[in-house]
Amino acid sequence: MENEFFNQVKSEVTDYGKSLGEVGKLRVIGIISRVLGLFLLILSVVLCALALFTFGAVALIDVLSNYMPVWGASLIIGASYIVLMVIAIACRKPLFIHPFIKLLSKQITTEEELALKTLEAEHKVEIHQVRLQCQVENATRELEFYASLLSRAWEAIKGLLRKS
């Protein structure tokens, strides 16, 4: 009976540890994907801004030299980079964050799925925690019962010995 109880507690603790590990893994995936997504967004915006300034400088030089077709083309290219920056900012989640989530976890592709999986894993942790607490409470209650039974038996024996 003791061996069965310890095996049951051991399996509960193992399941609890696995559930905690799953929650930690999913939280780390969420944090890393947001950080890397933000890094790539900033890198893209900075590169596009540098390209915009480069083309703006080329356009200004061409305006000063009165060579109209080259600066017109430079302004068109610069405007297209502005459009690309707006698209990168507007679509940052599907372009930057979701690919990292998919890369870091083979089954999850979006932030919504990641949030659901995290809630699922947290729920499993809570279930295992409640089961473990119940096991400990039952063991404690049983131990207290046997201790009180033994102390009453001892008191009864002592009482019988005193009377004789």
Side-chain angles (χ1 to χ4, degrees):
M1 180 171 155
E2 286 181 21
N3 202 13
E4 180 182 321
F5 172 73
F6 286 122
N7 286 336
Q8 188 176 7
V9 169
K10 179 182 169 186
S11 68
E12 289 293 329
V13 169
T14 302
D15 291 342
Y16 182 67
K18 287 179 183 177
S19 297
L20 278 177
E22 184 70 19
V23 168
K25 175 185 162 190
L26 292 172
R27 285 185 179 168
V28 166
I29 288 171
I31 291 169
I32 289 174
S33 64
R34 284 188 194 98
V35 168
L36 289 176
L38 185 60
F39 172 74
L40 285 178
L41 174 67
I42 291 170
L43 181 66
S44 297
V45 169
V46 166
L47 289 176
C48 288
L50 288 175
L52 179 67
F53 290 137
T54 302
F55 287 113
V58 170
L60 185 58
I61 290 170
D62 286 337
V63 168
L64 293 174
S65 67
N66 290 329
Y67 192 63
M68 199 60 126
V70 174
W71 72 264
S74 296
L75 289 177
I76 291 172
I77 299 284
S80 67
Y81 274 100
I82 290 174
V83 169
L84 286 175
M85 284 191 320
V86 168
I87 290 172
I89 291 170
C91 301
R92 67 183 173 272
K93 284 186 180 181
L95 289 176
F96 303 112
I97 295 173
H98 294 169
F100 281 105
I101 292 174
K102 189 173 183 180
L103 179 71
L104 293 173
S105 72
K106 295 174 177 88
Q107 302 161 347
I108 305 169
T109 56
T110 64
E111 271 187 305
E112 292 80 21
E113 287 180 43
L114 180 63
L116 286 175
K117 290 285 188 181
T118 304
L119 282 174
E120 221 174 87
E122 287 173 348
H123 180 67
K124 283 182 184 177
V125 165
E126 289 172 2
I127 288 173
H128 290 300
Q129 186 177 13
V130 167
R131 284 183 183 164
L132 199 57
Q133 284 175 344
C134 288
Q135 291 289 335
V136 169
E137 286 174 5
N138 285 339
T140 305
R141 198 174 306 122
E142 202 171 308
L143 184 66
E144 287 174 355
F145 172 74
Y146 288 128
S148 69
L149 187 65
L150 283 174
S151 71
R152 287 182 186 177
W154 180 252
E155 291 297 324
I157 292 171
K158 276 177 45 178
L160 287 174
L161 289 175
R162 283 187 191 160
K163 287 182 182 178
S164 6

